[in-house]
Amino acid sequence: MLGIIGGTGLTKLANLKIKRRQIVRTPYGEPSGPLTYGDICGYEVIFLPRHGHGHTIPPHIVNYRANIWALHAEGVRDIVSVASVGGIHPRLDPGVIALPDQIIDYTHGRKNTYYDGGDLPVKHIDFTMPYSDRLRNLCLEAATNISESIIDGGVYACVQGPRLETAAEINRLERDGATMVGMTGMPEAALARELDMHYAAICPVANHAAGRGSSAKGIQYDNMGDVLNKTMQRVRNLIERVVVGHAC
């Protein structure tokens, strides 16, 4: 089954016909909210808003372990995540949709593994390629089928949040090879890998990163919200086609 994790700007899926909502208990506490069961174009999916239905959970407080565990417990084996980002690379202007193929983790203090000295033996995962090639290709094919432009590839820098970055920090991330910056990509991707789940991220660009383009002298929140709202409609259309392709 396909699971969809929504981030900032995607607390609900307008094209999801809801069948039921279910609270799932996990050994790691409460997920961000009840899992929403529904269908898109007649195909069943499970949706979970990462920040809660009222967008009240900041990125450093999200219970990533509970979220991924709950989806796995309900039969999800493939996850498509939606995670808004700031664009570092010149091609990543606000309104662009990117599909990263690499990630760098700058977070700290997050519960980032299921194998932390409890009852489970230590498991070392291969994280060379953090995103599923199969799901990435599915997203790329979906974009082609609806004539949606999407940037194939990129390096997602996952920072702690909830504050945005300084211009100097963005310069550092760029020197490290990052092309976009967000706050929720880790440990989500690694936890999915630990449970042998396939995972890919669709990343709409909400703004230029600090010190870049229109954010050279500061990030304009009003503009960011307007851009993200418009881009999310395109993301919903893309997800719809991904769901159809996943079922076929």
Side-chain angles (χ1 to χ4, degrees):
M1 185 183 298
L2 180 65
I4 300 167
I5 300 177
T8 300
L10 196 70
T11 56
K12 60 182 180 179
L13 280 172
N15 45 359
L16 176 67
K17 295 180 180 177
I18 298 174
K19 294 181 177 179
R20 62 187 173 94
R21 290 186 173 92
Q22 180 173 324
I23 297 173
V24 179
R25 310 294 181 187
T26 85
Y28 305 96
E30 297 292 324
S32 295
L35 302 185
T36 301
Y37 287 74
D39 69 68
I40 296 177
C41 297
Y43 301 106
E44 187 176 36
V45 299
I46 298 179
F47 176 72
L48 176 64
R50 184 186 290 112
H51 300 286
H53 285 284
H55 202 272
T56 57
I57 308 173
H60 66 298
I61 301 296
V62 171
N63 192 339
Y64 297 97
R65 293 197 299 181
N67 285 350
I68 300 299
W69 188 275
L71 289 169
H72 185 272
E74 292 300 301
V76 170
R77 295 297 178 268
D78 294 340
I79 296 175
V80 172
S81 158
V82 177
S84 61
V85 295
I88 299 176
H89 192 279
R91 294 180 65 195
L92 296 184
D93 289 321
V96 167
I97 300 173
L99 196 69
D101 59 353
Q102 279 294 330
I103 194 165
I104 305 175
D105 187 7
Y106 297 93
T107 65
H108 52 86
R110 300 184 182 188
K111 300 290 187 180
N112 60 4
T113 180
Y114 294 112
Y115 304 92
D116 57 359
D119 295 332
L120 297 174
V122 174
K123 179 178 181 179
H124 300 285
I125 59 169
D126 176 13
F127 209 49
T128 305
M129 305 302 293
Y131 299 104
S132 164
D133 285 340
R134 177 172 60 81
L135 288 186
R136 290 189 71 261
N137 287 335
L138 182 65
C139 292
L140 291 171
E141 290 171 7
T144 298
N145 288 336
I146 62 171
S147 300
E148 177 62 71
S149 178
I150 190 168
I151 300 294
D152 178 11
V155 180
Y156 181 118
C158 189
V159 296
Q160 182 72 357
R163 71 166 177 84
L164 299 179
E165 303 73 42
T166 68
E169 287 171 332
I170 294 299
N171 289 340
R172 174 202 174 193
L173 300 183
E174 185 176 45
R175 289 193 297 270
D176 286 349
T179 60
M180 65 192 83
V181 58
M183 301 177 186
T184 58
M186 287 292 287
E188 203 171 80
L191 292 168
R193 181 64 57 86
E194 285 190 346
L195 295 182
D196 296 320
M197 302 169 79
H198 291 267
Y199 179 97
I202 296 172
C203 296
V205 180
N207 57 280
H208 288 114
R212 301 291 188 274
S214 59
S215 299
K217 295 184 178 180
I219 294 173
Q220 304 300 314
Y221 285 97
D222 290 342
N223 293 341
M224 183 168 63
D226 291 341
V227 168
L228 194 56
N229 287 336
K230 293 177 182 177
T231 309
M232 279 303 173
Q233 182 54 55
R234 293 160 48 214
V235 170
R236 292 185 185 97
N237 294 338
L238 178 59
I239 288 175
E240 183 174 291
R241 187 61 211 180
V242 168
V243 170
V244 173
H246 183 267
C248 295

